[in-house]
Amino acid sequence: MTHRLVAALVLAATMLSACGTTTPTTPPAAVTVVRQPTAIPPTPAPPTVAPNATPSLVPGPNIAYGSVHLTLNAALGSGVSARLVPEAIFTDPNAPIHPPYPELIFVNYPLQNTFHEPRLQVYPADEFAKVNPAAADAIQQLQALLGQAPKLPAGNIPFLPVFHAAQVIRADIQFVNFQNGSGIRFVTQYGQSPIPINNYELFYTFQGLTNDGAYYVSAILPLSAPFLAPDDNPNHPAPADAVPAPDFSSPDFSGAAWGAYLDTVTTRLNQLDPQQFNPALAALDALVQSLEVK
């Protein structure tokens, strides 16, 4: 019996007594009302995302996934496969460490079977910096670089995600603004050892920050140039006007020869008509410029 029901019975007995009902010869036993403590609802657990959550297919041209909005030209794909990548916290210093972030992979991108998937990733900058020192450095360096615009960098350009490889070349460097932020785009290839610059591994990347510094944007979009070899296999034919790569297996191979080769390829990429890239640089820039993170 609850305390409310007991109280109601006591009140009813009192009212009947006041109306002249027979008073019992034996006084009623005292009733003790026990107050139940107020139940405190449990704090709901924060939402979680399964590591292998099924991505959502978002058709173009107007893409909206969470806080990420952009316009996708049909020349760059028919839509995106979007998901919220769950956090990764590991003790292994060589493992990728990051907070949850949205990732958009472009469907029916014009280049297929390349080393990199065509994708856009938007990281919460402060959270990423707190869990990953390499990311903190990249974010700080990009902030400094954007503060020096339009002066172009001479060396390595800040880049996320963290690749355990070297930024081999940087060509076609240009500052680009998006709807609520700014960044820098360039053509690059990463490697762990000297290999020819090739169309299997070459890509366009944009590295940017929202105006409030809350989000770091990384776009990785495979790219090809007509004078580059299809991949790093020396047995695969290269275009007639390809830049001859050094013989990496020769005992005479040197850092100077490697540097001269990279300088020549970079010059050729810088001189190439932007429309001769596949996809054209203007189309990739327009994709970036349409981006809004809100």
Side-chain angles (χ1 to χ4, degrees):
M1 182 178 294
T2 65
H3 66 279
R4 291 185 178 180
L5 181 55
V6 171
L9 291 174
V10 172
L11 177 61
T14 303
M15 293 176 64
L16 288 174
S17 176
C19 295
T21 56
T22 304
T23 303
T25 56
T26 304
V31 178
T32 303
V33 179
V34 179
R35 295 186 179 274
Q36 299 296 327
T38 303
I40 301 175
T43 303
T48 58
V49 178
N52 296 317
T54 303
S56 300
L57 183 61
V58 183
N62 298 315
I63 305 295
Y65 180 75
S67 61
V68 182
H69 300 254
L70 57 85
T71 301
L72 178 62
N73 187 303
L76 297 179
S78 59
V80 300
S81 177
R83 67 173 183 140
L84 182 65
V85 179
E87 69 175 355
I89 304 297
F90 302 112
T91 55
D92 180 359
N94 295 317
I97 302 175
H98 56 73
Y101 65 88
E103 176 183 64
L104 281 60
I105 297 176
F106 295 91
V107 178
N108 295 323
Y109 188 77
L111 298 181
Q112 300 290 319
N113 302 316
T114 52
F115 184 83
H116 298 280
E117 275 192 308
R119 63 192 188 271
L120 175 79
Q121 298 161 320
V122 179
Y123 302 102
D126 287 345
E127 294 177 42
F128 204 0
K130 287 176 183 177
V131 299
N132 191 317
D137 288 344
I139 293 168
Q140 184 178 28
Q141 290 169 17
L142 184 59
Q143 288 171 332
L145 181 62
L146 295 178
Q148 297 172 4
K151 180 182 178 182
L152 295 175
N156 273 13
I157 299 175
F159 179 87
L160 290 176
V162 177
F163 282 177
H164 295 294
Q167 191 177 98
V168 180
I169 60 168
R170 293 158 297 279
D172 294 277
I173 305 169
Q174 185 173 308
F175 289 101
V176 176
N177 294 332
F178 58 99
Q179 295 300 305
N180 62 325
S182 61
I184 188 167
R185 63 92 146 146
F186 57 105
V187 175
T188 188
Q189 179 174 310
Y190 274 69
Q192 294 180 327
S193 60
I195 60 171
I197 305 303
N198 62 87
N199 284 331
Y200 178 67
E201 297 175 71
L202 191 75
F203 64 96
Y204 165 111
T205 185
F206 174 78
Q207 303 288 308
L209 286 164
T210 54
N211 291 329
D212 58 7
Y215 294 98
Y216 187 109
V217 176
S218 172
I220 296 174
L221 301 166
L223 192 68
S224 68
F227 67 87
L228 292 180
D231 52 38
D232 66 347
N233 189 330
N235 296 320
H236 291 170
D241 61 343
V243 178
D247 183 357
F248 303 113
S249 61
S250 169
D252 296 328
F253 174 73
S254 65
W258 173 239
Y261 167 74
L262 294 179
D263 287 345
T264 302
V265 173
T266 299
T267 299
R268 290 282 301 274
L269 289 171
N270 285 332
Q271 292 174 344
L272 187 67
D273 184 336
Q275 291 298 116
Q276 289 190 283
F277 285 98
N278 184 25
L281 295 187
L284 298 176
D285 287 343
L287 173 68
V288 168
Q289 290 165 339
S290 75
L291 175 66
E292 184 174 12
V293 184
K294 58 182 181 180

